Amino acid sequence: MTRLVLAVARDTEERILEPLLERGHDVLARLGLLDDVAEVIARTNPDALIADGDVMTEDLLSHCDDFGCRVVAVCSDETQRRHIARLGLREHVDVGASIAQLEASLAGPDLGSGREEASRGVVTAVWGPAGAPGRTTIAISLAAELAELGARVCLIDADTWSASIAQMLGMLDESPGFAAACRLAGQGALTHDELDRISERYPVSQGTLSVLTGLTRSSRWPELTQSRVTDTIEMCRHWADHVVIDTGLSLESDEEISSDLFAPRRNAATLAALRASDRVLAIGRADPIGISRYLRSHVDLLDVVAGIPVHTVMNRVRSGPVGLAAVSQITSTLQRFGGIDKPTLIGHDERAADAALLEGRVLREVSPRSPVVASVRGLARAMMPEADVPATRRERRARSARSRSTRAWHVSGRATSSP
């Protein structure tokens, strides 16, 4: 039995009310156009709300989440369906849906379904300070390279300031997948089947690349609370072999002391993602200003992650702003002023980056021989278990040559020892 509140048109209410009652559901309230839905939810504390699509708002969804009330929208036209998609609400039915379909949406996903959760994937957070060091580009390229190595990869856009993965991959971002996943996690309803449903697939030739797109408007950041983000990442860890998270840039956490009352924190998603990760790729821009910003922020990052391995990646390396022997100068500067050894240096390839942005595709597709692709591929191969990494063409040629040499030696040995 489900305790329900109805906020639907009169025709819809007359069609579904009696069948719902006959099936044992308890209708606590039947609301009209002028009724305050949020106030009724707070007063009756129902299990679920069935409402017309045009009734739903961001504030009402957030209010229902706070009271643990599941929401099912009834959509009468394409405009309402688009409105519901923009809100990130995946539970909706058409106005003519059967009672069985409505009950299936009310019941939610089967929490016992999905793949076995014995395996745990590896979570990699990609972070970088202010100054556009190329954090999102590296996160996308890393996820694509891991997928091309045969892994099942989940790419998450957890940036509450300037989410952009959907646009960079040419995806429709009407419905933010990560916000939808966090909402389901807050209700205890996030499963592998739900992740399959709300994620966007990016085509790769080998493995699987699933994308949980970011917020369509930065003003929606209160939806990504720390507990929801942590629970979502943990579920994704069991759903994919590798989870790559594009985080926000700010590491500040002092919003909660600006008031006597505890309030949501805009940077909570970034901090939660960093602390839930197994490793952090810290991206810096390889010019004097970028290196200075990185070194100042690197200290704060180490305090936040508290022992989680951090690997430094200096992006857009070129001699113009640094001078001759740019690689040597950057490496020595990082070691001298930050105690950072063995950073990964990625060359500057503006033409390839512009082509990828223009076509809405990953770098490896528009410029497979780019030095950026080669460097990120090296990072991806280092993250994969050695037994799971397919041999490169050069390695296959070397093995073939060694095999031919061995066979020739054996043949020559047999010929020499024959009488």
Side-chain angles (χ1 to χ4, degrees), residues 54-167:
D54 54 7
V55 172
M56 299 310 305
T57 64
E58 292 181 14
D59 291 340
L60 180 56
L61 271 179
S62 178
H63 186 77
C64 290
D65 288 346
D66 292 339
F67 283 89
C69 175
R70 189 171 185 84
V71 179
V72 177
V74 179
C75 300
S76 59
D77 53 35
E78 185 62 27
T79 300
Q80 289 190 8
R81 281 188 284 272
R82 286 183 174 274
H83 172 64
I84 291 302
R86 283 192 293 270
L87 293 176
L89 178 61
R90 302 285 179 152
E91 293 75 23
H92 62 84
V93 296
D94 290 333
V95 68
S98 66
I99 297 299
Q101 292 174 315
L102 189 58
E103 281 192 316
S105 297
L106 287 172
D110 181 5
L111 298 180
S113 65
R115 70 177 66 183
E116 293 295 328
E117 298 192 5
S119 61
R120 285 173 59 86
V122 178
V123 178
T124 303
V126 182
W127 171 88
R135 178 185 64 249
T136 301
T137 300
I138 298 301
I140 291 173
S141 298
L142 177 64
E145 293 298 332
L146 287 168
E148 290 293 346
L149 291 173
R152 179 182 177 91
V153 182
C154 174
L155 174 61
I156 296 176
D157 193 341
D159 190 348
T160 55
W161 293 90
S162 54
S164 57
I165 285 180
Q167 295 92 326

Side-chain angles (χ1 to χ4, degrees), residues 213-275:
T213 55
L215 299 176
T216 53
R217 293 188 302 278
S218 59
S219 60
R220 296 182 60 177
W221 63 264
E223 298 178 31
L224 307 185
T225 64
Q226 181 174 344
S227 60
R228 290 182 180 183
V229 170
T230 301
D231 292 344
T232 300
I233 293 174
E234 184 63 23
M235 181 59 69
C236 290
R237 181 193 292 276
H238 294 287
W239 179 57
D241 302 320
H242 288 269
V243 181
V244 179
I245 309 173
D246 181 21
T247 69
L249 58 91
S250 180
L251 301 175
E252 296 177 355
S253 59
D254 59 348
E255 291 94 331
E256 66 180 89
I257 65 174
S258 63
S259 170
D260 291 337
L261 299 177
F262 181 79
R265 293 177 289 165
R266 184 162 191 173
N267 301 323
T270 295
L271 299 176
L274 290 170
R275 290 165 178 159

Side-chain angles (χ1 to χ4, degrees), residues 21-43:
L21 294 174
E22 289 176 351
R23 291 172 182 243
H25 300 290
D26 185 9
V27 178
L28 304 179
R30 299 155 56 188
L31 307 183
L33 293 176
L34 301 180
D35 291 319
D36 188 342
V37 180
E39 187 275 332
V40 174
I41 294 295
R43 177 165 48 84

